[in-house]
Amino acid sequence: MNGPVTFRLNSTELRGEGLLLRPWDPSSDTDVPAYLRGVSDPDFRLFNNPLRHVDDLDAARLALRERARQWEAGTEGGFCVTDADDGTVLGHVSLKSLYWPCRSAGVGYWVLPEARGHGVATRALTLVADWAFSLGLHRLALDHALTNAASCRVAERCGFTYEGTLRDAHRHADGTYQDAHLHGRVRAEG
């Protein structure tokens, strides 16, 4: 692979561990409100640094359209995490900040409040990491707010080694910063 991979929005689905990961649909009457609930959840906002808040359905639809554009451009692959049996939206996982010259990318995830505590993030991240390595990527990075112990456990369960603390790495819309833990996983680690 010498250049970027172009993700095809309507063709990439990942299935396993009781989950179906598929692209978000900006025209869906199910996806848009679920996305809004996820990114406006107080726990999400406590640990994440959205520079542009999504506070209503129109903003959520716009954000999902932007995700679709990023997917098609090959710069990010954001998945809607659903229950494989009934299609219930459970959360989000993404391959982001793709940098093909070094075969590296970041990963991120969140889970809706009602789906937390059931291993959704761990199962979804495992599927995306395996997929990313099958595309030819060499390294995946994951960072999370220093105080987000649950995210730290997910990273460790998925084989992401703790590599250090990034000082003032997350900037919030209000201009404040918070430290983050950095974890990494390389293809050779499985």
Side-chain angles (χ1 to χ4, degrees), residues 2 10 13 15 18-19 24 28 38 46 48 60 62 86 112 114 121 126 132 150 152 155 165 174-175 183 189:
N2 292 326
N10 296 320
E13 291 185 345
R15 187 180 293 269
L19 300 175
W24 287 94
S28 167
L46 175 65
N48 291 279
L62 183 65
D86 65 16
L112 289 169
E114 65 273 15
T126 298
C152 202
T165 299
D174 66 2
H183 298 260
E189 296 171 339

Side-chain angles (χ1 to χ4, degrees), residues 66-89:
E66 177 59 24
R67 286 198 174 281
R69 279 191 292 279
Q70 291 168 335
W71 186 287
E72 290 169 350
T75 59
E76 179 172 319
F79 291 95
C80 177
V81 178
T82 67
D83 181 282
D85 293 329
D86 65 16
T88 301
V89 176

